[in-house]
Amino acid sequence: MADSKKPKMRITVASKMHRRSARVASASKSSQTNEPDKAKAANPASKTNVKAKMSNEYAALSEYVDKQFNMLSRKLSQLVLDRQYTPSDDEKKESSVEPRASIDSEATVVPPQFPTTKSRETEICAKLFSPVESLPDYSELRERLLDDFVEPIPIHRHAYEKLKSEVAQEVLSNFCIVEEVGNTCPTLTPYIESALNVTNVGRGTESMQQHVLDKFLMGIISTAQSEIASVDILIDRNAAENSVTKKGCRPDFLFSINGQLVFKGEEKKAGDVRKIAMELTDKMIPGSVGKGATSRIQYLLGYATAGSRVLFECIHGDDKMVECSNILNLERIPDRVTMIRIIVNVVRIALSLTADTK
């Protein structure tokens, strides 16, 4: 049995030796195969050559694309020129109309059913604020302060329609429609519309109420100041004045012509408007108003406010005062229109007053 096993052992050893030789041979062959790759990877000149070749190919491709694009652009341009649009005679006629601005212009881009004219503000204001022909007596002021305007004030249709439902036709006749007569008063029109539409009436602090009042006072009187060059008009607030006012006293609002105070106001956030009006005479120099020997002016117009309520007065002597209006409530549109009418006529009467100033 021992002899029969010996040949088997020799075969097993031989087999192992054969397999080991095969692995060695394979490893040797693999090593030989990888040597050129390693040599190639270790050669930087080879990498540079590849990059240079790729760069040249990209440059050639880019040049080709540019040439094709330029050729295509030239063809498209020529195609547009060959097929250029030629407008018809009617289209040429329509395009010849030049749009113009509506303010201070003879025409406008507004549709033709809304005609406009060149601004006539100076001309209209000269009529609107023209001095009254005869200075009314203080006893006539309640009526004369509501005189109709010599020239209607233009307002836009939406504002006119709003008034149409609020005031009588005879009052409405003091206004006209911008879209029908043209934008003839580009400054006064926005002021009047702002007064008609102002908010926060009767609310907020006293300073806020001054803002509301100035829509009426400053808007109208400042327009007269700008358009009437023949006199020196001054409007101010809480300022010193020495024509009829005591030294150190300052009216809440003052309007003077050629240095003569003609209209002033006392304003409070709340209270009895008639009691507040009494302050109009408290700050005055004795004998400065009236028909006395030392009087500077025949009478002085004024107003007092308590929130949204306004009362107009006429001072015609020391501590002598007469009401020139009902108590107006500026929360109401009809009373806002009355306020506008009164202030316009205050300017007219004031111009006549200063013509008779001593």
Side-chain angles (χ1 to χ4, degrees):
M1 293 180 65
D3 294 337
S4 63
K5 292 180 178 179
K6 287 181 181 179
K8 186 176 182 179
M9 291 175 63
R10 286 196 295 270
I11 293 170
T12 302
V13 171
S15 177
K16 289 182 177 180
M17 291 177 66
H18 175 75
R19 287 196 296 273
R20 185 179 300 167
S21 298
R23 286 199 299 272
V24 171
S26 176
S28 176
K29 183 177 180 180
S30 176
S31 175
Q32 292 174 0
T33 303
N34 292 336
E35 282 180 359
D37 294 337
K38 289 181 180 178
K40 185 177 180 180
N43 186 3
S46 177
K47 290 184 179 181
T48 303
N49 292 336
V50 172
K51 288 182 179 180
K53 183 178 180 181
M54 291 179 64
S55 177
N56 292 335
E57 290 177 353
Y58 176 79
L61 179 61
S62 177
E63 182 179 0
Y64 173 78
V65 171
D66 287 343
K67 288 181 179 179
Q68 295 298 316
F69 179 79
N70 292 334
M71 181 177 66
L72 181 61
S73 296
R74 287 194 297 272
K75 288 183 177 181
L76 288 174
S77 299
Q78 187 62 42
L79 182 63
V80 171
L81 292 173
D82 292 343
R83 299 187 178 183
Q84 190 172 14
Y85 175 72
T86 303
S88 64
D89 293 339
D90 291 339
E91 289 173 326
K92 289 179 180 179
K93 186 176 180 180
E94 291 178 2
S95 64
S96 64
V97 178
E98 298 181 1
R100 301 175 184 173
S102 60
I103 294 180
D104 214 16
S105 172
E106 297 179 358
T108 178
V109 293
V110 177
Q113 63 267 29
F114 298 151
T116 61
T117 59
K118 186 176 181 180
S119 172
R120 295 175 50 237
E121 192 140 43
T122 300
E123 177 187 345
I124 289 176
C125 287
K127 296 178 180 179
L128 183 67
F129 299 118
S130 60
V132 294
E133 293 182 359
S134 60
L135 185 65
D137 186 74
Y138 69 84
S139 60
E140 303 172 333
L141 287 174
R142 178 181 283 266
E143 179 181 353
R144 295 299 304 276
L145 285 174
L146 293 177
D147 281 352
D148 289 335
F149 298 156
V150 177
E151 184 83 7
I153 297 176
I155 57 176
H156 287 87
R157 187 179 298 278
H158 66 86
Y160 187 88
E161 292 298 329
K162 184 176 182 179
L163 290 186
K164 197 173 181 179
S165 61
E166 296 279 355
V167 301
Q169 182 59 41
E170 57 267 25
V171 175
L172 192 63
S173 64
N174 289 285
F175 303 91
C176 56
I177 301 173
V178 168
E179 287 85 350
E180 294 179 357
V181 302
N183 192 24
T184 56
C185 288
T187 301
L188 182 61
T189 294
Y191 279 140
I192 296 299
E193 291 179 350
S194 179
L196 292 173
N197 295 304
V198 66
T199 57
N200 292 321
V201 178
R203 303 184 184 93
T205 62
E206 189 171 311
S207 295
M208 177 59 73
Q209 291 313 300
Q210 289 177 350
H211 167 73
V212 172
L213 289 169
D214 283 344
K215 297 292 184 181
F216 299 84
L217 298 167
M218 294 291 192
I220 296 172
I221 302 175
S222 68
T223 302
Q225 182 185 39
S226 299
E227 299 297 337
I228 302 175
S230 58
V231 294
D232 181 19
I233 293 177
L234 173 68
I235 48 178
D236 210 339
R237 282 196 165 278
N238 194 31
E241 192 282 321
N242 57 16
S243 67
V244 297
T245 307
K246 293 177 181 177
K247 187 176 180 179
C249 295
R250 297 168 178 262
D252 290 335
F253 176 87
L254 58 113
F255 161 32
S256 63
I257 297 176
N258 296 334
Q260 172 62 56
L261 185 67
V262 291
F263 181 56
K264 69 174 183 172
E266 293 294 333
E267 303 167 354
K268 294 290 184 290
K269 177 182 176 181
D272 185 332
V273 70
R274 285 192 168 93
K275 289 183 178 179
I276 295 170
M278 299 304 296
E279 296 184 22
L280 290 169
T281 59
D282 292 344
K283 301 177 181 180
M284 295 181 57
I285 299 172
S288 59
V289 173
K291 295 183 179 181
T294 60
S295 298
R296 293 285 306 274
I297 192 169
Q298 186 172 334
Y299 53 75
L300 179 66
L301 298 169
Y303 72 90
T305 67
S308 64
R309 299 184 180 278
V310 184
L311 176 64
F312 287 87
E313 300 272 4
C314 173
I315 304 165
H316 57 92
D318 295 345
D319 299 324
K320 294 179 181 180
M321 193 162 56
V322 61
E323 293 181 6
C324 299
S325 73
N326 296 327
I327 296 177
L328 307 179
N329 183 358
L330 295 184
E331 293 180 357
R332 301 178 63 250
I333 296 299
D335 285 359
R336 294 186 187 190
V337 175
T338 300
M339 179 89 162
I340 292 170
R341 295 175 68 190
I342 288 176
I343 295 173
V344 169
N345 284 305
V346 162
V347 174
R348 299 185 65 208
I349 292 171
L351 288 168
S352 291
L353 267 174
T354 51
D356 293 339
T357 300
K358 296 178 179 180

